[in-house]
Amino acid sequence: MPKYTALLRGRALATSHRAGIAGVAALGAAALAISAAPSSAQSTPSHEAAASAAPVKYSTQRIEGVKVQVTDQMAGQQLKAEAIAAKKQAADDAAAKKREAAEGGGKAAHKAQEKKAATEAGKSRGGDRSASRSAHRPAAPAHKSYANNLDGWIRESLDIMDKHDIPGSYSGLHRNIMRESSGNPHAINDWDINAINGIPSKGLLQVIPPTFKTYHVPGTSWNIYDPVANITAACNYAAHRYGSMDNVDSAY
């Protein structure tokens, strides 16, 4: 039975061959293990390295103090910068106001000078005009005064008559006054026809009330016994009837 024997041998060889390979592999693994194992001298440092190489632990707690300090520092710097800027702005504003005040004072002084010059010029022109008017305008007559007597009454009456174009002279008035009343402004005739008719003659030139009222001269008194009013009214009547008191030599 040679075939079967050969076959068995072949199988036995294959088995032994696998066993050899396994042994060789086992020896190789052992050799690698021996070469990789550390020596006793290097065992301690390896543990220290392992310990030093341990993972770092990080805290998850929030750190607030550092952030607040940084924020406060930034706020302080900001406030300091703002204070510096505000101080500079205030200085600039003060300088601008000072310039405006100086300019305004200069303008005010200039305007005041112009106003003063204009006022003086106006006064000068007004003085020149006043002087010119005074030079060309006749001086107003001074108020004339009259004596409170027959002479004064006649002279005042003549001036009023002259303004109203009533003729008459001093001598003509004086003559008729002395004949009619003897120079008494309160004289009254209570016996002639006029008195009988209830309208007696009165005053220096013995004028009856209706005649006095009709020929009264404006600017004189309405009192028939007033000397000036009585003379001017009587002269006005005589001028209309006789042409002038100078033409009267008797009762009129």
Side-chain angles (χ1 to χ4, degrees), residues 68-91:
V68 171
Q69 184 176 4
V70 172
T71 303
D72 291 343
Q73 290 178 356
M74 293 177 66
Q77 292 177 356
Q78 181 66 24
L79 291 174
K80 185 175 181 181
E82 291 177 355
I84 293 172
K87 186 175 181 181
K88 184 177 182 301
Q89 184 63 40

Side-chain angles (χ1 to χ4, degrees), residues 164-236:
H164 293 275
D165 297 324
I166 301 173
S169 65
Y170 184 93
S171 61
L173 270 64
H174 188 273
R175 184 182 70 249
N176 283 283
I177 288 172
M178 295 307 293
R179 187 188 69 252
E180 294 293 334
S181 65
S182 301
N184 179 12
H186 298 287
I188 183 171
N189 188 327
D190 56 1
W191 56 267
D192 66 0
I193 188 63
N194 290 323
I196 296 173
N197 292 331
I199 48 173
S201 301
K202 299 177 180 180
L204 290 175
L205 284 172
Q206 292 294 286
V207 183
I208 61 175
T211 301
F212 177 81
K213 183 177 181 181
T214 302
Y215 293 96
H216 173 266
V217 177
T220 62
S221 172
W222 281 95
N223 182 2
I224 195 171
Y225 291 107
D226 181 84
V228 175
N230 188 282
I231 293 172
T232 53
C235 289
N236 191 24

Side-chain angles (χ1 to χ4, degrees), residues 137-159:
R137 182 176 59 194
H143 180 70
K144 193 173 181 179
S145 60
Y146 304 93
N148 188 25
N149 54 30
L150 181 59
D151 179 73
W153 301 332
I154 293 174
R155 294 186 184 279
E156 185 175 356
S157 296
L158 287 171
D159 288 339

Side-chain angles (χ1 to χ4, degrees), residues 66-128:
V66 176
K67 184 176 180 180
V68 171
Q69 184 176 4
V70 172
T71 303
D72 291 343
Q73 290 178 356
M74 293 177 66
Q77 292 177 356
Q78 181 66 24
L79 291 174
K80 185 175 181 181
E82 291 177 355
I84 293 172
K87 186 175 181 181
K88 184 177 182 301
Q89 184 63 40
D92 293 341
D93 293 342
K97 288 182 179 180
K98 188 174 181 180
R99 287 195 300 271
E100 290 178 357
E103 292 176 356
K107 291 180 180 179
H110 182 66
K111 289 183 178 180
Q113 291 178 354
E114 289 182 347
K115 185 176 181 179
K116 183 178 180 181
T119 302
E120 292 177 352
K123 288 182 179 178
S124 177
R125 289 193 297 271
D128 294 341

